[in-house]
Amino acid sequence: MNLFAVAKIVGCFGIKGFVKVQLLTHSTPRLNKLRNIFIGISENTAVPAVVEEIVFNRNPALVKLQDVNDRTSAEKITGKFLFVDEQDVALPPKGSYFIHEIIGYEVWSETDEYIGILADVYKLPAQDVWVVEKDGKQFMIPAVKDFIKVVDAEKHKIIIMVIEGLIEE
């Protein structure tokens, strides 16, 4: 079974088990129909779960899962991803990628200098920001065409254009 991340649990809301989720998909109306999902840190660790309710009129969105009925239970799943089976996935537009697929890719400069590993992606209002880690340091790379030159899924490699001040060692 192939699973795809559609949201990341970023916190709790209230005392009834609602979790705040940062959506990782461009097709939010489709999520309204989902009931059977998977929760985990990765596709390999995800376990089945059932969605009871989704509230989209907030940012981040709120999700109530079956068997997550209090704040303590919700806190235990914070930081995990919500996954769907590939049959429920809306494919990303051309030039976009599923976050869980590119996490762990090596990041290199156009001049073939190793920059680090893609460790996380922050979904911000203006654009996504890719977090690259190397030797315990983190670098923030705006995920825009000006900087991201190539994403090679076969080689698990990203090539970026480095400008002065983008990467401080």
Side-chain angles (χ1 to χ4, degrees):
M1 175 182 329
N2 289 331
L3 300 179
F4 294 86
V6 294
K8 183 175 184 179
I9 301 172
V10 295
C12 305
F13 181 82
I15 60 171
K16 296 184 179 180
F18 278 87
V19 292
K20 297 177 188 177
V21 297
Q22 183 67 51
L23 299 175
L24 308 175
T25 178
H26 63 283
S27 183
T28 55
R30 200 173 213 186
L31 294 179
N32 245 344
K33 299 175 184 160
L34 291 178
R35 291 299 165 247
N36 296 309
I37 62 165
F38 299 84
I39 300 175
I41 295 296
S42 70
E43 185 179 348
N44 298 332
T45 64
V47 296
V50 176
V51 174
E52 289 183 353
E53 184 178 350
I54 299 177
V55 181
F56 287 114
N57 64 350
R58 298 183 52 93
N59 189 14
L62 301 178
V63 174
K64 172 66 178 80
L65 299 170
Q66 188 175 21
D67 298 326
V68 179
N69 297 315
D70 55 43
R71 187 171 187 91
T72 303
S73 299
E75 287 171 348
K76 290 179 182 176
I77 60 173
T78 297
K80 295 184 178 182
F81 289 93
L82 301 182
F83 293 92
V84 296
D85 190 286
E86 69 182 321
Q87 70 193 21
D88 296 320
V89 170
L91 296 177
K94 185 177 179 183
S96 296
Y97 306 92
F98 290 115
I99 291 172
H100 72 280
E101 289 182 328
I102 61 173
I103 296 289
Y105 278 22
E106 290 184 349
V107 180
W108 293 78
S109 73
E110 290 179 302
T111 59
D112 212 29
E113 175 190 351
Y114 177 71
I115 306 298
I117 297 290
L118 182 63
D120 203 353
V121 175
Y122 296 150
K123 303 284 288 174
L124 302 178
Q127 79 263 334
D128 292 354
V129 174
W130 291 3
V131 180
V132 178
E133 289 184 354
K134 180 181 176 189
D135 299 329
K137 295 181 182 177
Q138 290 187 337
F139 310 103
M140 307 295 179
I141 312 293
V144 295
K145 290 179 184 179
D146 292 343
F147 295 110
I148 310 300
K149 296 302 179 184
V150 176
V151 176
D152 187 332
E154 283 185 26
K155 295 181 182 176
H156 296 266
K157 183 177 181 179
I158 299 168
I159 299 173
I160 65 170
M161 179 181 75
V162 177
I163 62 170
E164 186 176 335
L166 186 64
I167 298 173
E168 303 279 330
E169 295 220 30

